[in-house]
Every structure is written in C-alpha cells, then in structure tokens.
Amino acid sequence: MSINIFKKTTLFFLISVILSFVLLLPKAKISCLCATSQSYYAQIVASNVKLYRSTNGSEEISNIFFVIPQTYFVEISSCENSNFFTARYFDKTGYVKKSEVKCVKGIPQTPFANASFRVFIPGGVALRTSPSQSEGLNTVETLPFLETNLRYYGTIDGEEAISHKSSTWYYCKYIKSGSEVFGYVYGAFCDLLTTIPSNTEILEEIEEPDFTIATQAEATQVEESGLSSLPSTTQIIIIVAVCLPCVIIIYLLFKPTKITAKALEDAENKPRRRKKRQRHQDYYEYDE
C-alpha cells in the first residue's frame, strides 16, 4: 500500500514539473509582447538647434556636439528636466531644448539626414575630438586624401584654423575596417558635401509625451521576460531536457508494477499441485 502511495506522489510531482515548464514559456512570451514601449520623435523646427552634451545650460563649444539639420528629427526617450529632452540623432545621444523641437505622432520614414563628404587635401586631415587644432593632442585619427567613407551628422562653429577661412567644422563618423571613430573635421579641408534637402514629411503634432508609461512597460518587460529572452531553439532544448527524464522515471516506476501484476495473474491461473502427504507408518515396540 505504501509503495502505491509513493508512486502516486512521485507521478503527481513529475506532472506538475512538466506542466510548469510548458505553461511558463507562452506566458513569458505574452508578457514580453505586451510590454513593448513606444518611441517618440521630435522635429527640428529652428535653424540652429544643437545636440548638447549636458543640460547645464552652457552654450560653450565644449558642451555641444553639433547643430542638427533643420526639418529632420530626433528620437526622444525621456524628459530630462523642464527644459530638455534626452534625444538620439543616428547613434549619437545627447539633449535638445524642448522649445526648439516639435513632438510628433508616429515614426518618420527618414528621420535623419543621409549625407557624406570627401577629404580634399594632400597628406590627409586630422579627425579631432573638438573643433579646434590649437589644443595639440586632440587627434584621434588621420583621414586619408580623398577619403569618402564619412557619415555627416552636423556642423559646429569652431576655431578658424586658417585665417580668413571658414570656422565651420563637420561632426562625422569615420568607418575604417569595421571600426567606428567619431570626431570633427575642418570644413575648409573637405568638399563634395551631400546636398541635404528639407524633410517634407507631415506628421501630427502632439503635446509633450508621457514617458512614465513607457518606463513602466520597460520595467514589466524586464521582470516578466523569463524564458522568452532566450532563443526559441534554446527554449525547446530546456523543455525537452526537463520533460524527458520525467517520462523515463514514470516508465521505470510503472514497468515493474505491470510485470509483477502479470506474474501474479499467471500464478493464480496456474493449476495447483497437491502435495503428497507422508503417512507415518505405525510402529510397535516389543518387549525383549
């Protein structure tokens, strides 16, 4: 009787383990899908909108990445304070003033300006960490003569490196052998800058987005992701690895029971042989 109770308890436990893993996977997927946060974009509505490095209010060159091309967009992810949004332009993240952008509904087809330029000076040009060549050790890379593998982000008014020439510098990304380097190039040493047309996309203007909702959704996604964060192949392997031993254990538990029951049944149906009783022979004692 105790053996049967043990088997039933073990069977119930194994079935519970299997059901837990089977039910956990789809639940995690649903939670992850429901927790997708929304992206918001803001259009550049002025001619001198800057992507700032910080929100300290400084207009110094050291606090500015570049001026964003007008009519294009930045992706805003949070409200940093009453004056600034946290914003991303291409893969560069900084801050923009709320008063200089217009929040819109939806996702623009071409949010960022697609432009490039060419280095046009023999011997190459230095790519620098700041729009100045008088600081000395601010060179991060040397761009070869006629180099065109440069992504243009925007301009900044920096040092007039050559007297009576422009003080315009280009902020760009230089892609070399799969690696990416960011920096400034003096505009007078470059040419063939792509003509940047105005972005004529019309999107519905909205009030300042409520980023609190998106933040709560992201927190829910992190807490409930579970197995859904793993690749589908890995999820299947985990489930099989858990379920297969349980199935084997169930088989081993009940296989001996079936054999024993069959043996008992055969034994009951088998005709019994009568045991021969040994008759005790009578004996007599004789007096001598």
Side-chain angles (χ1 to χ4, degrees):
M1 189 70 174
S2 60
I3 295 176
N4 291 333
I5 294 175
F6 170 74
K7 289 181 179 180
K8 291 180 179 179
T9 304
T10 306
L11 178 61
F12 177 77
F13 172 74
L14 294 177
I15 292 174
S16 301
V17 172
I18 294 173
L19 290 176
S20 298
F21 272 84
V22 171
L23 295 176
L24 178 61
L25 181 60
K27 180 180 179 182
K29 286 184 177 179
I30 293 172
S31 300
C32 188
L33 291 174
C34 295
T36 303
S37 58
Q38 183 177 358
S39 297
Y40 296 98
Y41 283 83
Q43 189 172 28
I44 308 302
V45 295
S47 60
N48 195 36
V49 178
K50 306 176 184 68
L51 185 67
Y52 292 90
R53 297 177 183 268
S54 71
T55 59
N56 60 13
S58 173
E59 293 294 331
E60 298 293 328
I61 294 176
S62 58
N63 192 42
I64 300 170
F65 280 113
F66 50 85
V67 174
I68 306 170
Q70 190 176 0
T71 70
Y72 285 87
F73 299 82
V74 290
E75 183 180 7
I76 53 178
S77 57
S78 66
C79 179
E80 188 65 21
N81 54 40
S82 58
N83 297 320
F84 288 90
F85 287 127
T86 302
R88 177 183 68 86
Y89 185 80
F90 275 121
D91 47 3
K92 184 59 61 176
T93 301
Y95 306 94
V96 294
K97 291 182 178 180
K98 293 181 180 181
S99 58
E100 297 178 340
V101 297
K102 178 181 68 176
C103 299
V104 297
K105 181 179 180 180
I107 301 175
Q109 294 182 352
T110 309
F112 316 122
N114 186 15
S116 61
F117 59 94
R118 182 181 69 171
V119 171
F120 190 70
I121 186 171
V125 177
L127 182 67
R128 303 178 183 274
T129 57
S130 60
S132 170
Q133 64 178 12
S134 61
E135 294 183 5
L137 301 177
N138 64 343
T139 300
V140 291
E141 188 67 64
T142 299
L143 306 179
F145 177 50
L146 301 181
E147 178 63 61
T148 58
N149 199 13
L150 302 162
R151 169 174 285 179
Y152 171 85
Y153 283 69
T155 60
I156 188 171
D157 189 21
E159 178 190 19
E160 190 179 56
I162 300 177
S163 299
H164 308 295
K165 287 287 185 180
S166 173
S167 59
T168 300
W169 291 69
Y170 299 155
Y171 187 85
C172 67
K173 177 170 68 175
Y174 175 45
I175 304 172
K176 178 182 178 182
S177 301
S179 61
E180 301 175 347
V181 184
F182 295 88
Y184 297 90
V185 182
Y186 186 44
F189 296 153
C190 305
D191 67 352
L192 299 183
L193 176 63
T194 304
T195 301
I196 302 176
S198 297
N199 189 318
T200 57
E201 295 181 61
I202 300 175
L203 283 81
E204 180 183 349
E205 184 177 358
I206 60 174
E207 298 295 330
E208 181 178 323
D210 184 4
F211 296 102
T212 306
I213 299 175
T215 303
Q216 291 175 350
E218 290 172 357
T220 305
Q221 181 177 3
V222 172
E223 292 174 359
E224 298 184 355
S225 60
L227 291 175
S228 63
S229 61
L230 300 175
S232 58
T233 305
T234 305
Q235 296 174 14
I236 295 172
I237 293 173
I238 292 174
I239 293 175
V240 173
V242 173
C243 296
L244 185 59
C246 296
V247 174
I248 294 174
I249 293 172
I250 293 172
Y251 173 75
L252 294 177
L253 280 174
F254 285 89
K255 184 178 179 181
T257 304
K258 293 180 180 179
I259 294 174
T260 304
K262 189 175 184 304
L264 291 174
E265 184 180 353
D266 293 342
E268 290 177 356
N269 295 332
K270 192 173 183 180
R272 297 182 180 178
R273 295 181 179 179
R274 294 182 179 180
K275 294 183 180 180
K276 293 183 179 181
R277 295 182 179 179
Q278 294 182 354
R279 295 181 179 180
H280 296 284
Q281 296 179 354
D282 296 335
Y283 67 94
Y284 301 91
E285 293 182 0
Y286 297 92
D287 295 332
E288 291 182 359

